[in-house]
Amino acid sequence: MSYRQIYIRKAEKLSLRHHSLIIKKESEEIAIPLEDIASLLLEDHQTVITAALLAALSDYYITLIICDEKHLPITQTLPMNMHYKQLKVFYDQLGVKKPFNSQLWNRLIHYKISNQKAVVDSTVKNEDASVKLKQCIKDLQSGDKTNREAIAAKIFFEAMYGNVFSRKRKSEDAVNAALNYGYSIVAGQVTRVLTMYGFNTNIGIHHESMNNSFNLSYDFVEPYRPVVDLYVYKHLNELDYPLPIAIRKELIELLQFKVKMNKKFYNLQFAIEETVKSYIKCLENDDSSLLCLPELTIDENQEDDSIEL
């Protein structure tokens, strides 16, 4: 099973040879078996990529993420027709009724706020914020009709970064840049797994923007966001804008962060796959309680399976 995230900061050429990624850097060539790679993040706009490699990346379900001039993820490549029952999965998605989606969304937000509370309890230890987040969980209604998610987010970010902090998707401050970078990496992995199992990411559970091709991806990102939040808070003193190389690399490595799910521990990338597989069971059995979601664990001993080149 693929497990490595390849971060390429500078390279002359990326090509394919004998089912391996070939990275040419000056007079050096590095070969990495494609079967080991889960994702490939490229920052260098001067790097040449061969068409043969792009096709092979699709065959091996490897997501390619390309960054802009500010080193922020901006483009992701996805294979077409990856699943042998793709049309059936598509019809299953279309057939989901709104009340069922409301139950799923309620479960996603329950875990998101619970994980936000875990971050607050393990870092800033703000008792008032912790109590309020716990109350948000208790007040959750089907489909989050009273918008507890937004209320919890306000409580959470104020507790973590102060009253003056404003959460923005496009911002040139270091904290927002780090959050956006980390969320994009997690969303890329979610999208990769969803498409691998035949899902159309346009069709969301709660997100339904006509201008968003990744509505479903951002539904499933929600309970995983606090992993990024935890990292960013712990590295506040190291943040800068544009983001330093070391920070970008470590945000990619968060896919190896361990979370708890069904009394077992999984690296984030495998936990996401368990979530998607459980979503299939939810649809097949019309039972939202089958959706497996992560519980955030605070552990300093996290392994690193990324490669920087």
Side-chain angles (χ1 to χ4, degrees):
M1 184 178 292
S2 58
Y3 63 99
R4 293 197 180 280
Q5 289 75 45
I6 310 300
Y7 166 43
I8 298 181
R9 185 157 52 95
K10 191 172 182 62
E12 295 173 15
K13 184 178 180 181
L14 305 180
S15 59
L16 176 70
R17 186 192 304 153
H18 304 312
H19 304 287
S20 291
L21 165 66
I22 304 299
I23 304 164
K24 184 178 180 182
K25 296 179 64 177
E26 298 176 349
S27 59
E28 181 183 15
E29 279 194 354
I30 301 169
I32 303 173
L34 290 177
E35 63 183 1
D36 291 347
I37 303 173
S39 64
L40 175 62
L41 187 141
L42 178 62
E43 288 190 343
D44 187 1
H45 287 188
Q46 303 303 313
T47 301
V48 174
I49 307 176
T50 66
L53 176 62
L54 289 173
L57 293 179
S58 294
D59 286 340
Y60 280 84
Y61 308 135
I62 299 169
T63 185
L64 171 64
I65 299 172
I66 299 175
C67 297
D68 62 16
E69 68 279 358
K70 296 178 182 177
H71 310 296
L72 297 175
I74 192 172
T75 298
Q76 178 179 1
T77 63
L78 294 171
M80 298 174 63
N81 303 319
M82 293 180 65
H83 195 268
Y84 73 104
K85 289 185 178 179
Q86 190 157 4
L87 185 59
K88 178 185 181 303
V89 175
F90 179 66
Y91 283 139
D92 286 345
Q93 283 184 267
L94 289 178
V96 176
K97 304 299 183 184
K98 189 170 183 178
F100 187 70
N101 271 340
S102 293
Q103 294 171 20
L104 289 169
W105 182 243
N106 190 78
R107 189 167 175 83
L108 285 161
I109 296 309
H110 182 283
Y111 273 80
K112 177 183 181 179
I113 300 175
S114 294
N115 287 336
Q116 287 175 325
K117 182 179 180 300
V119 172
V120 168
D121 291 343
S122 68
T123 55
V124 294
K125 296 179 172 59
N126 185 318
E127 186 175 347
D128 181 57
S130 182
V131 169
K132 288 179 179 178
L133 289 171
K134 187 175 182 179
Q135 189 61 46
C136 283
I137 296 171
K138 290 182 179 179
D139 293 342
L140 270 175
Q141 299 179 20
S142 181
D144 192 20
K145 297 175 183 177
T146 56
N147 207 12
R148 295 298 103 178
E149 180 201 12
I151 294 171
K154 185 175 187 299
I155 295 167
F156 175 73
F157 284 117
E158 285 186 358
M160 297 296 290
Y161 306 116
N163 294 336
V164 297
F165 177 76
S166 178
R167 175 73 190 104
K168 297 178 181 178
R169 291 185 179 179
K170 293 185 178 181
S171 177
E172 295 189 355
D173 70 274
V175 172
N176 272 304
L179 292 172
N180 292 335
Y181 194 100
Y183 294 157
S184 294
I185 295 300
V186 177
Q189 178 66 12
V190 171
T191 302
R192 170 183 179 261
V193 177
L194 283 170
T195 54
M196 189 168 67
Y197 281 91
F199 286 101
N200 185 318
T201 57
N202 291 273
I203 305 171
I205 293 170
H206 176 78
H207 291 88
E208 53 184 9
S209 171
M210 299 297 289
N211 300 318
N212 186 0
S213 299
F214 304 102
N215 287 311
L216 188 60
S217 301
Y218 281 97
D219 287 330
F220 283 116
V221 163
E222 298 300 345
Y224 290 95
R225 288 182 188 270
V227 173
V228 178
D229 301 327
L230 175 64
Y231 171 87
V232 171
Y233 179 81
K234 285 189 171 183
H235 295 80
L236 280 176
N237 293 334
E238 303 165 42
L239 298 182
D240 198 358
Y241 188 86
L243 292 176
I245 293 170
I247 294 295
R248 301 199 301 269
K249 181 177 181 291
E250 289 179 4
L251 284 167
I252 296 169
E253 292 168 7
L254 285 181
L255 291 177
Q256 302 306 320
F257 188 94
K258 290 184 178 63
V259 293
K260 189 176 181 181
M261 187 182 290
N262 289 340
K263 299 181 180 180
K264 296 180 181 179
F265 287 91
Y266 297 89
N267 287 350
L268 206 67
Q269 67 182 83
F270 297 133
I272 289 169
E273 186 165 359
E274 290 299 310
T275 293
V276 172
K277 288 193 293 186
S278 72
Y279 180 47
I280 295 172
K281 293 180 180 178
C282 289
L283 297 181
E284 291 175 344
N285 296 277
D286 196 29
D287 185 353
S288 62
S289 69
L290 297 177
L291 187 63
C292 296
L293 296 170
E295 297 177 46
L296 188 57
T297 57
I298 313 301
D299 184 359
E300 297 294 334
N301 299 314
Q302 299 283 345
E303 295 178 3
D304 175 8
D305 281 311
S306 68
I307 298 178
E308 177 186 358
L309 296 165

